[in-house]
Every structure is written in structure tokens, then in C-alpha cells.
Amino acid sequence: MGKGKIKGKGSRGKRAPNRLEHLNTVPDVVDVTVEVPNCAQDVELRCVSTDTLVDVRITLSELPETCHVTSYSLRRCNGDKLKRGLEVVSLKPNRVALCHEPYTRQSALSQVRRFADLFTCANLLGPVAAKKDKPTDSWLADTTRKQKLSSLTPSKMESAGAKSGGMWEEPLLHQFYSYFSFSEVGSPVSEVSVRELQGGEAFVEVEVALAGDAGEIVVAEGREAGFVAKGSKGEVHETLVSLLKAESSGFRQGYEALMGAFNARNQFGNPPLGLRCNTWVAPPCLSGERGRTTPAEDAALGGSIGGNLSGKERNWGLEFARGAAMPGNNPAERVARDHRVFLLWSHFVDEAVVTAITGEGGSQRYLEVRRTREATELSAEIGSSGSDLSRDREAALVKGLLADENTIARDVGALAKVTIHFNGEVIEVGAASGSGSDGQAEAWALEDEPALREGVQALNVHGLRRRVIHLEADGGAGEGEDSLGGLLSRASFPEGDLTPPKLRWELVFSWVQHLKEKEKASSSGLRRTFRFLGGSDEGERALREAIGEERWNQLAKLNLGLHRCTLGQLMDLANRFYSDVALAKIVSDFESLELSPIDGQTLTDFMHSRGINMRFLGRLATMSRKNLIHIHHLCVQEMVVRSVKRIVRAILAGSEDLAAKASSVARLFNDLFGGRDDLWEWIGRYLRTRFGYDLDGRIAEGAQLAVLRDICKRCGIEVVARTYNFASGSPFRASDIVSFFPVVKCLQFQSTDARELLEQAKGLLDKGKLDDAVMASTSALSKIVAVCGSAQNACCANAFSLLAVVLYHTGDFVQAAVLQAKALVINEREFGLDHPDTIKSYGDLAVFYYRVGEVDLALTYVERALYLLHLCVGEQHPNTAATYINIAMMEESKGRVGLSLRYLQEALKINQRLLGGDHVQTAASYHAIAIALSLMEPPLYPLAVQHEQTCLQILETKLGPDDLRTQDAIAWLDYFDLKAQEGADATECNIASKGHMSVKELMSFIGEEEKEKEKRKKKKAKKRSKTPDSVLKRNSVSSSSSSGEETSRSDEEAEGIKEEDHAPVRPARVAVRKEAEAADEEGVWVVVGKREKRDKREKKEKREKREKREKREKRTPAAAQKDPVLNPNAALFHPRSLNPNAKQFVPSFKK
């Protein structure tokens, strides 16, 4: 595979808000060849048919050969200039030429910024983490000696693995940026500075300090034609790299070494360029004395924090009202409406955040900003009360009852509202009241929308940080201790009950959908139920008066009987659904791993998507205590984080000095992880009062980093990237608090139609309908791009990921890797370097690279995913077990079967502890271990049979005998049993070398293997007499026989027959039995030996097995026969990374 062929990072789709004819076009892989000047070879790119030349430019910016070029155009071979929006499928031939374009002032600054960005990974991100040796597998080698094979059992394997230690490695926070670092190569540049010039021929003046003992400084000027050394009349160069190569041999060698390191890391490109400081761990360059950010966001180099900003006034209230009034009666109208609303909403949110934090913005006249201080006293009470709460609950009830595809787009009050918690303040921003009355203002044209500008990125709120300037290393410790003690002493708790939790309209909508499903099953029964619960004429009249005639008619059209109940009765029914169905359903989804949260934010998102208020965390923790230990721990952790968040906000509101705030926060962290008694006493009381949960412990060992991460992300704190010793009394210093950044809360707008298409694609994938799933996921992606106007938007990442998974199942691994790479770069840039979606993308991309044969690269990605998982959730989580299984699969392909088996044993222990010994996920672990055992030298087929039997027992109990997964297990058990019976011949053919095999293919393979074996037996049998050695005949010389040659044997033939007695058991031959029967009829004395009986019995058993296989083959769905899976050695194993129902990748079976 040529360089860059699989690379398609950062795709930008076409803008077609009103076009729907392309929604059913399945994407395809398109190879594009780019002619690059001064390059020995052309660059070959692997793109997707939906890509444009903008995607080609993004891909070129991330390849070592072309990453330093910024000002250029793409032309046809005849010299015609191509438009950037041209689709790659329109290129005929698929060959373009890269041609240099003159610089402008802005493009000259972009060239300087890209030049500095090339060396970020070598001099700004800290050292590279030392590689650790792989865990030893000596216990396995000792256990699998020939003399111990007979005594090896699954329980003894588990015992041996436990004695050797687990695979857990505590994540070291100072290695957070090591994945991106190339410091071992060294940077040829130590410093880059730029100065804009006014007047004259040059736009900018660039000063480059070269690395090395000499400390040479090169000064260059950027002009329209290119860059030239200052004061020199020499050659003008197209880029700074080409200029410095000509000026310094040391730079040329260092640059080539760095590009060579990029290629060695990933031959498909992917250098760590354009990194943003968008997570809670501050990079070394930011936490240092100078406090430098990365070049992509460095204002001195022309960088920015991104955002859809225009600097122009916009009447937000009027525009939102216009968007809500647009028709939405069919998909085409909704796409056009959602496109307008999305562009407006994204512009409003970014302008509101920047205006609230900096006080600058072009639309301040049409924004209403309200600032209040955070509560300085600790209390368990929060939210509305009295009549306000009652009105809010009734409004949410009616909204949920009448929700449809237009609800979110027409919810102007929610769309035009942003809440920001920053530095001790609560800032609420909304559209100014009365701003929608100016009906004469014209709507913005699409070309004026900032979200449609090329290269625009999402706003990085970390760029609005306030950095702490520390005068002393440990300053402020005393003040921090006093402030916390005072807060705890003044803390109050209400004597009575807290205000009822807020009712979310999503819950009511889920309730209505639940009733519709029951209506399909038994419509009359539902109506009787509602009549029994209070539906009446009086309730109908009361509801008409309460919600109005129009809304009542909409509710009556649902035909569910709800229109005959009063508001109070409807509220009671919704609350009953809340307690009886909604909570049990989400726990069931957690148990089936359809939902798999890995941190507090994903847990919150899952609960809010079901309409469940976070006040029910305590009840969820109680419900999951027994069977879902990881969910129980996560719920408890989230409650603790929410309590500590109250304290942090009170501390930030109690002082104006940033250094004092940092000192108080550091003291709080020390007391929290050190186990301060009065602090944990308050936390326990808060959880009991707020969530109804009795805390019975403190932070578990190994979960400290996960708790620290959640607190920092929720409270807006950036800390130094160093390893903290939580066992010490004071692991934190005031200087460890680098800065405070704003935490933004707002409604996330999305296309309802696109979301439904995504859900439809997931369901089709689960049912094995791959062709339909491809069409649905393609339509969803196209619709999202049409709504967002760009494939670079964060909303597109999930669609890219789902389409990649579907294409992976169809066997198109290359295109799956291309699309997943797009999802990864969007998630890293838009959400953060350690966001759950980013972790999932790392894991999925590792699987796809593995399937295209890039095992070393796959291991690099999956190890990054494992590090982030350990950081976010620790080891005791099903996602961690799934990652262990993925690593085991890749290590096995490298020939390290023993190491692979250790990872599998660890995954099995985790699944047994968290999910139970009878969980389907545990069955997947048993199956994966059986596969690994079959690949041992020598193969341990008897032990593989035992593990596969355990797997089959679990599946038959949980899923039944007719489930596809159960049939897979039966097929594999037959295969292992067959190989175990063969004994020494087991190594003749390895089924693992066949890659993925469905049930039908597996049956065919086993049948062919048996046929080949029969042929070999018949061929050997021809070399001996037709009379079997198991038949003894006492016959006189004068007795008649069918053939005299058959009764006369030479001594050599007789010896050959005796040797055959010790050969493997062979099937009886029909011709021999006919001969024996004929001899018996003629009065010949015939004795049938034990071997003949054994042959008859074995042939009968094989015939019965073959008949069973043929029946199973007929029952096997056609879709399942072509469904590829992650593990090429197992048709049973399905990773959760390939199940789009969950945000995280954990192994699972398809439904």
C-alpha cells in the first residue's frame, strides 16, 4: 500500500443543504495522485467518493512530503485551476498537480505558523515515554510442558495467571503527551518569532533560532513571491523549510530526521500537527515559566482559538424566531430549516461565550448578559421551588407529550441560552428581550455565515483561560486550609425534604414512545388501563382548559387515551413510568452493555438522553451494587465529584486573587485524597441528603486519577502534567494549578431526522442487514453534512464512526480505516485529547489497521486507547477487558501467543468480577481463550474444548439454542473436538489461518477437511489387500472364492497389514463388508473384530454430526454468513467497538 493511500484525515464534505438526491449514494474509495514539485515521487492519496478537493488539501497538510506547503492551488494536468469544492469523483483522470501561489499577508502568517507547528512535537510536549518490556509469559511456558498437558485445566490456568500478576499498569500523568512527542529525534529549531511589516515589499519578518551549540539565527522576509533571507538578493523560496534547507546543512539533516520519524510512526501520515490545548492536563509548554500555548493557538503567530465569530451585529431573537417559523412538514423542508437553525445556533453560542468572557463581540446590543457570584456557602439545596417549579414541571410534561421532529428546532428559549461557570461567576447569556420585534432586519445570507468559512474550527474554551501566576512554589497553603475549614463549619442542610427533582421533557417523550409500543401489542388493553387510572369526561374538560384546544387536539390524535386525563393524573403516570420502567430500562441497558459509560460525563449524557434526573444517581447506585460493580462505582464517583464541585465553586467565589484560589484548590485536593475526616463527613451527609445514598467508603485505590479528571473538567481547572503520588500526605502544590477555564452548558442542536437514521442503521447492523445498514448510515452522514454545511463539524464524527463500523462488517477495511481516521481527528480537535469519543476512535482505528495488515500501527493506537481508559476509568471496567482482548488478538498475530493468553485471562477475570460468570460477555472471553489455546505450540485442543463448552453453556442459557451466537459456539466446539480427537494430526491445518469464517464457511471447511482425510485413507488402503485385517477367514484350499488373488497374500503384504493395525482409526469400507457378507452366505466362518465395530460406530456418529450441520446451515441467516468480525480467528467474538449502540468499545455479540 503506497504512502498516504489509507490516509484521508479531516474530510470536508460538500455543502448541499437543499439537495437530497445524493443521500442514497454509497461512498467508495477513490485514489488520487498528486504531482508535487521538487519531489522524487508522486503522492498517492486514498480518499472517499464524497470528498472534495478541500479534503485533498487537508490530507496533503498532514503528509511529511507536503506538510510544509501552505500557499498553493490544485490544477489539472493541462494547467486548469480546480475549484476547492470540486468532488474527487469528478477528476478524470484522478491526477492533479500542486502549484505554488503568490503569498498575501494572511497566507504568509499561515506559512510561519505552519513552520513553527512542524516542530511542536519535538520541543513543546515533553519527553517520550520509555518503552516498557512486555509482560513475561514464563508461567504459561512452564505449564504447557508435555508432561503437564494432561493435568492442565481452566481452573489451574486461572490460578497460574493470578500468581504471575495482572496486566494493570497505573497510568502516569506525565506521559499524557508522550504519545505525540518526538523529542528523541530532536528539533532543528528552538525558537520562531514573527513581526508584521507595514509598507514595503515584505509582509512579515521571521526570526528562526536554530538548535545546536552554534545557536545560529536566520532572519527571513516573507514576500508575495516567497521567502528570502533578509539582506540577501539570492533565490526566493516557496516555503520557509526550503529556505532554511539551503541556508543550513544542520537544519536540513534535522528536518529530514524528523520527517523520517513521522514516517516510521505512521506511514500513512498523521504527524501530530495542529494540536490544541483543549483538555484538563496542561502541556509542558503551557505549564512552564513562559506559559506558551501551541502554535495553532498562538496569537503571536497568527493562531486563534477558533470559533464561529464574525464581529458583526446580529439580531438573535429575530433570527431564531424566523428559523422556528420555517416549514418542517417533510424531510426536505426540515433539512433546509435545520441547516439555517444550526448555523445560527453555532454562531450564537460562540459569540455568547466570547462576549461573556472577554466583553468583546459584534452583537452585544442583541445579547442579554446576567452575571452572579457562585454560592459562597455549602448547601444541599439547589434549583427552583414553589410555583416556579410546578410551572416548569407542567411545561416539560406538555412539551414531552407533544414532541416531534420539529420540537428542538422550534424551542427558541432553549436554543438562545448559554450558561457559563467561570472563575467564581455564573454567567447567563441569552437573546435580548424584544430583539425579535425588529421585523425589517434582513436575514443573513449563507455566504456570510462564519460556520461555512473554510478552515473554521470549533471554539476552544480552554483558550479563554486565566493563567495563574505563582510567586512562590507553595504559596497560599495556609489560606486554602482556612477557607475550607470555614466552609465546612458554615455548611447547612435543610431539615425537611428537598425540592422535587426537575422533570425532563425527554422522559415524557420516552414514556409516550413506550405507550405507542404497547399500543401496537394491545390497543384495547391500553385504553382500559387509562380508563381505570382516571380517564374521564371531567379530566378531558380540565385538560382542554389547561393546555388549550390546539394542543389538546394534538394529544388526542395520539390515540393513547392521554387526552382524557388531567394534568395531575398525567404527572402521576409519568412519575410511575419514571420509577417502574425508565430506571429499570437503563440498568438493563448497562447490563447488556448497550450503554457503557466510562466517566461521569458519559453517564450524565446517557441519563439525560433517557430523561433521568441526576438526583436518581443514588438509586441507580443501589440497583447496580450487586450485578454491575463498575456502574455502581461510577455512580458513587459521580456523586462525590458533584459534591466536591460545590466546594470548588465556593472557593473560587470567595477570593479575587488567582494565586490564592489556586492555593485553596490544591489544599482541597490534598484533603480530599488524603482523607480529611470533616471533609468526607460533609460529603457523606451531602450524598445522603441530595441523592438518598449512604456512602460506605472513600476513593478506591486506582481511581484517584479518574476522580481528579472529572473534578477538573467539571470545575474548569488545568493542572500540570506530572505524576502525583496520592499515597503521600500532600501530592499537590499550589503551582500544580496552571489555570482556570470556562465551563459552558447549552442545548446541543442536532437534526432529528439524522439521529433517527443513525438509530435505524444501528438496528439494521444488529440484525445483520448490512446492505440496508450501509444505505441508512450513508444517508445519515449525508444529511448531517447537509445540515452542518461541513464534514469537519463535531456532529459528523459519530456518523463517520458508524459508517466505518458498517463498512468494516461488509469487509471494506480500508475505507473503514479512512472514515475512522476522519472521526478521530474531529474528536481530538473538537472534544479533547481524552474525550470518550476520542478513546473509542483510537480503539476502532486500531482494529481497522489490524485488519489491513498494519499490526504494529494497530498496537500503537490500541495502547493509546488503553492508557486513556486506565486514566479515565481504571482497570475494573468491561471496556478495559475489551481492550485487553483486542491487544491479545494483535499480539497473537505477532506470534506472541503466550502473552496473548495472559491478556485474555485478565479480560476473563474482569468480566467475571464485574458482569458475572454467566454473562454473554464472559462467554466471549471463554471463546477468545479457546482460540488462543488452539494456536499454542503444541495446540491445546482438549483445553480449548473445555473453554468452548463453558461458552456454549452460557449462550444456551442466556440466548437459547436457536440464536446465531449459540450456533457459532456449537460449530467451533465441533471443530475443537474434531482436532482434539485427531491428536498428532492437529497441526496439519490451522483454521486460524483462514481468517474470519461464518457458520456456513466453518461447516464447509470442516467438511472439506473430512473429505480430504477420507481420500488419504482410501489412497493408503489401495496399497494393501482388499481383505481387511479385522476379518479372519478359516477356509480350505479347495473352497470356492470369488477371487483367488484375494485369499493369497505374500509375507510382505501380511507384514504391511500388521503395521496398519496401529494406524489411526479409519472408516470401514463398503466393499469389504459386502465381501464379508458374501463369505458368510457361502458358509465361510467369518469373525468381525473390535476394529470393524468401532469403524461402524464412528461412521454413524460422523453421519449424524453431518446431518446436524446441514440443518444448522439451513437455519443460518444469509446476512450472518457474510458478517465479518474483529477477530480473524473467531467467528463468535464481536467487539463493542463494532456495536454502534455504545459510545465505547467493549466486546459484545451481535443481537
Side-chain angles (χ1 to χ4, degrees):
M1 190 175 295
K3 186 182 295 295
K5 269 198 170 185
I6 202 171
K7 184 70 181 65
K9 196 174 177 182
S11 170
R12 182 181 296 275
K14 54 188 177 184
R15 301 170 184 171
N18 297 318
R19 291 174 56 194
L20 295 180
E21 64 272 12
H22 68 287
L23 291 182
N24 291 324
T25 302
V26 180
D28 195 9
V29 174
V30 179
D31 292 333
V32 178
T33 302
V34 182
E35 299 177 2
V36 181
N38 304 322
C39 189
Q41 296 181 347
D42 296 338
V43 176
E44 294 185 0
L45 308 178
R46 177 150 286 179
C47 304
V48 182
S49 56
T50 55
D51 288 346
T52 67
L53 290 187
V54 174
D55 300 278
V56 175
R57 296 178 65 90
I58 294 175
T59 304
L60 291 173
S61 70
E62 296 172 344
L63 290 176
E65 295 87 350
T66 53
C67 59
H68 63 286
V69 183
T70 56
S71 182
Y72 64 91
S73 61
L74 296 176
R75 300 175 181 267
R76 297 188 186 273
C77 297
N78 59 8
D80 293 344
K81 190 173 181 179
L82 298 170
K83 295 182 179 180
R84 296 193 174 193
L86 182 68
E87 294 179 342
V88 294
V89 293
S90 302
L91 296 175
K92 296 181 180 180
N94 296 342
R95 191 177 187 88
V96 297
L98 187 150
C99 301
H100 175 71
E101 291 291 328
Y103 283 103
T104 62
R105 182 178 297 277
Q106 189 63 33
S107 62
L109 279 173
S110 298
Q111 167 64 199
V112 176
R113 186 169 62 254
R114 170 49 61 93
F115 176 78
D117 194 25
L118 292 174
F119 311 104
T120 298
C121 58
N123 55 16
L124 295 180
L125 301 182
V128 177
K131 292 186 177 181
K132 298 181 180 180
D133 296 333
K134 295 289 184 180
T136 177
D137 60 346
S138 58
W139 68 270
L140 186 64
D142 295 338
T143 309
T144 55
R145 292 175 182 171
K146 292 184 178 180
Q147 61 268 26
K148 295 185 179 181
L149 288 181
S150 60
S151 62
L152 194 58
T153 62
S155 60
K156 290 183 178 180
M157 280 185 56
E158 295 179 9
S159 176
K163 291 179 180 178
S164 65
M167 310 302 290
W168 160 257
E169 293 182 3
E170 183 178 358
L172 304 177
L173 199 58
H174 73 272
Q175 296 179 354
F176 186 87
Y177 289 95
S178 296
Y179 174 80
F180 307 100
S181 177
F182 285 82
S183 61
E184 78 283 4
V185 180
S187 172
V189 174
S190 60
E191 189 71 33
V192 178
S193 60
V194 62
R195 181 169 62 92
E196 291 192 52
L197 302 177
Q198 302 296 332
E201 185 180 4
F203 296 131
V204 294
E205 181 180 282
V206 187
E207 186 176 287
V208 181
L210 301 180
D213 297 335
E216 180 182 359
I217 296 179
V218 177
V219 181
E221 292 181 346
R223 305 173 182 176
E224 183 177 2
F227 286 82
V228 63
K230 185 177 182 179
S232 172
K233 297 182 180 180
E235 179 184 1
V236 178
H237 298 269
E238 296 178 355
T239 64
L240 279 171
V241 169
S242 59
L243 170 63
L244 288 172
K245 280 185 176 180
E247 294 289 329
S248 171
S249 60
F251 173 84
R252 181 173 61 255
Q253 296 174 1
Y255 182 80
E256 291 175 353
L258 184 60
M259 294 299 110
F262 285 166
N263 272 326
R265 169 75 68 86
N266 187 347
Q267 62 172 317
F268 306 118
N270 263 333
L273 303 176
L275 285 177
R276 310 174 78 187
C277 303
N278 59 0
T279 189
W280 63 284
V281 183
C285 58
L286 182 63
S287 58
E289 294 182 0
R290 298 179 59 182
R292 300 170 53 188
T293 186
T294 56
E297 299 179 332
D298 192 348
L301 297 175
S304 70
I305 60 174
N308 301 306
L309 307 174
S310 64
K312 302 178 182 179
E313 282 193 346
R314 190 166 190 174
N315 192 328
W316 304 109
L318 176 62
E319 297 248 16
F320 274 116
R322 285 175 174 171
M326 293 180 67
N329 300 319
N330 55 63
E333 290 180 350
R334 287 195 292 270
V335 167
R337 188 269 316 278
D338 291 348
H339 180 59
R340 280 283 189 178
V341 175
F342 177 82
L343 297 178
L344 172 65
W345 169 81
S346 58
H347 186 195
F348 167 79
V349 171
D350 290 352
E351 287 280 6
V353 172
V354 172
T355 301
I357 302 302
T358 66
E360 302 174 358
S363 301
Q364 296 188 50
R365 185 162 68 99
Y366 295 105
L367 288 177
E368 198 172 72
V369 182
R370 186 164 65 93
R371 301 174 183 270
T372 58
R373 300 295 294 178
E374 296 275 11
T376 57
E377 302 295 334
L378 299 180
S379 173
E381 188 62 88
I382 190 174
S384 306
S385 60
S387 58
D388 292 338
L389 178 62
S390 178
R391 285 195 300 268
D392 292 343
R393 289 175 62 85
E394 290 180 359
L397 175 66
V398 175
K399 181 179 179 181
L401 290 173
L402 304 177
D404 58 10
E405 299 89 348
N406 302 308
T407 299
I408 298 178
R410 293 174 178 174
D411 192 354
V412 176
L415 289 173
K417 180 180 179 181
V418 178
T419 303
I420 307 168
H421 294 269
F422 179 52
N423 199 27
E425 281 188 328
V426 181
I427 309 174
E428 296 179 337
V429 186
S433 58
S435 61
S437 59
D438 186 8
Q440 303 300 321
E442 296 183 0
W444 278 35
L446 286 176
E447 54 268 19
D448 295 334
E449 293 286 354
L452 296 181
R453 293 198 304 263
E454 182 182 331
V456 67
Q457 296 182 351
L459 177 67
N460 179 18
V461 295
H462 290 257
L464 299 172
R465 66 178 63 86
R466 291 191 180 176
R467 187 168 177 269
V468 181
I469 306 299
H470 297 281
L471 300 179
E472 299 180 6
D474 296 319
E479 181 180 349
E481 184 177 7
D482 292 337
S483 62
L484 178 59
L487 285 173
L488 295 176
S489 62
R490 298 190 302 270
S492 62
F493 292 90
E495 297 181 359
D497 296 334
L498 296 179
T499 56
K502 176 183 176 182
L503 179 66
R504 302 183 64 89
W505 70 268
E506 295 91 345
L507 173 79
V508 183
F509 177 75
S510 299
W511 172 45
V512 174
Q513 299 304 311
H514 174 72
L515 294 179
K516 288 181 178 180
E517 293 176 0
K518 293 181 64 177
E519 170 74 9
K520 293 180 181 178
S522 176
S523 176
S524 60
L526 274 178
R527 292 195 181 97
R528 283 195 298 269
T529 300
F530 282 113
R531 221 173 272 120
F532 174 76
L533 291 175
S536 60
D537 295 339
E538 292 79 6
E540 179 179 327
R541 286 193 296 271
L543 188 62
R544 282 176 183 268
E545 296 177 0
I547 65 176
E549 188 69 22
E550 181 179 357
R551 289 183 172 182
W552 184 89
N553 289 331
Q554 295 179 18
L555 189 59
K557 289 180 182 179
L558 296 178
N559 198 27
L560 295 175
L562 301 176
H563 61 290
R564 294 180 56 80
C565 299
T566 64
L567 279 178
Q569 292 171 338
L570 291 175
M571 190 71 71
D572 292 339
L573 291 172
N575 290 332
R576 186 178 303 178
F577 170 79
Y578 207 141
S579 58
D580 296 345
V581 179
L583 292 175
K585 180 63 169 60
I586 196 171
V587 172
S588 175
D589 290 339
F590 286 149
E591 185 175 5
S592 66
L593 298 180
E594 182 177 342
L595 301 178
S596 184
I598 67 169
D599 64 355
Q601 187 59 55
T602 51
L603 177 64
T604 302
D605 292 342
F606 288 146
M607 292 180 65
H608 283 174
S609 66
R610 305 294 181 90
I612 300 177
N613 193 283
M614 300 308 292
R615 290 273 294 276
F616 288 87
L617 272 173
R619 186 168 175 182
L620 280 180
T622 303
M623 296 172 67
S624 59
R625 181 193 297 270
K626 183 177 180 181
N627 298 324
L628 296 171
I629 300 177
H630 63 291
I631 297 296
H632 170 76
H633 289 329
L634 194 56
C635 290
V636 175
Q637 176 180 313
E638 176 64 12
M639 289 186 285
V640 172
V641 169
R642 287 177 174 267
S643 63
V644 175
K645 180 177 67 175
R646 294 290 188 89
I647 302 177
V648 173
R649 288 179 176 177
I651 289 175
L652 296 181
S655 176
E656 296 294 334
D657 183 45
L658 290 179
K661 294 180 181 181
S663 178
S664 299
V665 170
R667 177 67 65 178
L668 171 63
F669 287 168
N670 288 333
D671 293 337
L672 177 68
F673 296 106
R676 179 171 172 174
D677 293 335
D678 57 346
L679 173 60
W680 278 99
E681 181 182 352
W682 181 87
I683 292 175
R685 189 175 177 184
Y686 180 89
L687 266 60
R688 186 166 50 255
T689 305
R690 183 75 179 167
F691 302 103
Y693 181 80
D694 291 325
L695 185 65
D696 55 0
R698 298 183 180 182
I699 300 177
E701 187 67 25
Q704 292 93 337
L705 272 180
V707 174
L708 175 64
R709 173 182 176 274
D710 277 355
I711 293 175
C712 290
K713 293 177 75 71
R714 300 295 183 85
C715 301
I717 301 172
E718 290 180 331
V719 299
V720 174
R722 73 177 184 89
T723 299
Y724 297 97
N725 182 14
F726 293 100
S728 65
S730 301
F732 292 90
R733 303 187 297 264
S735 56
D736 291 327
I737 310 301
V738 177
S739 61
F740 302 102
F741 63 90
V743 178
V744 180
K745 295 182 179 180
C746 62
L747 175 68
Q748 295 298 315
F749 179 80
Q750 56 183 331
S751 169
T752 304
D753 290 337
R755 182 181 60 190
E756 291 179 354
L757 281 172
L758 289 174
E759 295 299 324
Q760 179 183 351
K762 297 172 187 177
L764 292 170
L765 179 60
D766 288 342
K767 295 177 182 178
K769 300 179 180 179
L770 299 183
D771 294 338
D772 295 337
V774 170
M775 299 300 295
S777 55
T778 302
S779 299
L781 174 61
S782 300
K783 186 163 289 191
I784 290 175
V785 172
V787 169
C788 300
S790 168
Q792 285 293 290
N793 193 274
C795 300
C796 298
N798 189 30
F800 275 130
S801 182
L802 175 60
L803 181 56
V805 168
V806 175
L807 292 174
Y808 172 89
H809 277 282
T810 65
D812 193 348
F813 307 133
V814 172
Q815 190 173 352
V818 171
L819 293 173
Q820 193 58 247
K822 294 176 183 290
L824 174 59
V825 72
I826 293 175
N827 287 327
E828 280 190 333
R829 184 185 65 241
E830 306 291 333
F831 297 127
L833 300 179
D834 62 339
H835 191 273
D837 288 353
T838 304
I839 302 174
K840 178 181 181 299
S841 295
Y842 273 119
D844 288 353
L845 191 55
V847 172
F848 302 157
Y849 276 140
Y850 166 76
R851 290 312 302 267
V852 298
E854 298 295 332
V855 181
D856 292 331
L857 186 59
L859 281 170
T860 300
Y861 277 90
V862 77
E863 287 171 356
R864 175 64 175 178
L866 181 61
Y867 171 85
L868 294 176
L869 271 176
H870 282 171
L871 184 69
C872 295
V873 75
E875 185 186 36
Q876 298 302 315
H877 196 279
N879 292 21
T880 307
T883 309
Y884 283 161
I885 295 178
N886 290 347
I887 296 177
M889 168 190 64
M890 298 170 191
E891 294 289 358
E892 177 273 318
S893 66
K894 299 288 288 184
R896 296 187 281 264
V897 183
L899 176 60
S900 171
L901 194 54
R902 287 197 60 182
Y903 276 109
L904 294 175
Q905 280 291 135
E906 195 68 21
L908 175 61
K909 289 196 303 183
I910 294 174
N911 286 330
Q912 286 176 329
R913 180 177 182 271
L914 300 180
L915 305 174
D918 60 345
H919 196 274
V920 176
Q921 199 76 354
T922 307
S925 296
Y926 276 114
H927 171 72
I929 292 177
I931 293 293
L933 291 170
S934 69
L935 301 176
M936 294 294 298
E937 288 295 340
L940 304 181
Y941 287 112
L943 195 57
V945 169
Q946 297 182 50
H947 282 80
E948 197 66 29
Q949 285 175 340
T950 306
C951 171
L952 179 58
Q953 291 173 1
I954 297 173
L955 295 180
E956 286 181 335
T957 302
K958 291 291 185 178
L959 306 176
D962 296 331
D963 191 90
L964 176 61
R965 290 158 285 184
T966 307
Q967 296 176 10
D968 281 341
I970 294 174
W972 279 102
L973 182 58
D974 288 346
Y975 172 76
F976 290 142
D977 188 52
L978 176 65
K979 302 303 288 186
Q981 292 179 11
E982 290 181 358
D985 292 338
T987 58
E988 292 181 4
C989 183
N990 187 358
I991 195 173
S993 64
K994 299 294 182 180
H996 161 68
M997 302 184 75
S998 64
V999 176
K1000 181 179 179 180
E1001 294 168 341
L1002 180 61
M1003 294 291 104
S1004 177
F1005 175 81
I1006 296 176
E1008 291 175 0
E1009 196 175 31
E1010 291 179 345
K1011 292 178 182 179
E1012 290 296 328
K1013 183 181 175 184
E1014 293 290 340
K1015 289 180 181 180
R1016 291 195 299 269
K1017 293 174 182 177
K1018 291 180 180 180
K1019 187 176 181 180
K1020 291 181 180 179
K1022 288 181 180 180
K1023 298 180 180 180
R1024 63 178 182 174
S1025 172
K1026 295 182 179 180
T1027 304
D1029 59 321
S1030 60
V1031 179
L1032 303 178
K1033 298 180 180 179
R1034 191 181 67 176
N1035 196 2
S1036 63
V1037 177
S1038 61
S1039 298
S1040 61
S1041 63
S1042 61
S1043 175
E1045 293 180 358
E1046 293 180 2
T1047 58
S1048 61
R1049 296 175 179 271
S1050 65
D1051 294 339
E1052 294 178 358
E1053 290 175 338
E1055 292 177 1
I1057 294 175
K1058 292 179 180 179
E1059 291 176 0
E1060 288 292 329
D1061 287 343
H1062 303 285
V1065 177
R1066 303 177 185 275
R1069 296 175 60 178
V1070 177
V1072 172
R1073 282 202 293 272
K1074 286 183 178 180
E1075 178 186 351
E1077 292 171 359
D1080 188 37
E1081 290 175 358
E1082 295 177 2
V1084 180
W1085 210 14
V1086 179
V1087 178
V1088 180
K1090 295 182 179 179
R1091 178 172 179 179
E1092 177 70 13
K1093 295 180 179 179
R1094 185 172 62 223
D1095 287 346
K1096 293 175 63 177
R1097 183 174 64 255
E1098 289 181 352
K1099 187 168 185 179
K1100 180 180 178 181
E1101 292 175 353
K1102 289 182 179 179
R1103 183 173 64 253
E1104 292 175 352
K1105 286 185 178 180
R1106 184 165 57 252
E1107 292 174 354
K1108 290 181 180 178
R1109 290 171 191 146
E1110 292 174 353
K1111 291 180 180 179
R1112 285 198 303 268
E1113 184 179 333
K1114 292 179 180 179
R1115 292 198 306 265
T1116 303
Q1121 297 175 6
K1122 61 180 180 179
D1123 180 19
V1125 296
L1126 167 64
N1127 191 338
N1129 302 325
L1132 180 64
F1133 173 61
H1134 289 263
R1136 174 61 68 171
S1137 60
L1138 306 183
N1139 187 337
N1141 290 330
K1143 286 191 173 183
Q1144 308 311 320
F1145 54 102
V1146 293
S1148 177
F1149 297 92
K1150 289 180 62 181
K1151 297 181 180 178

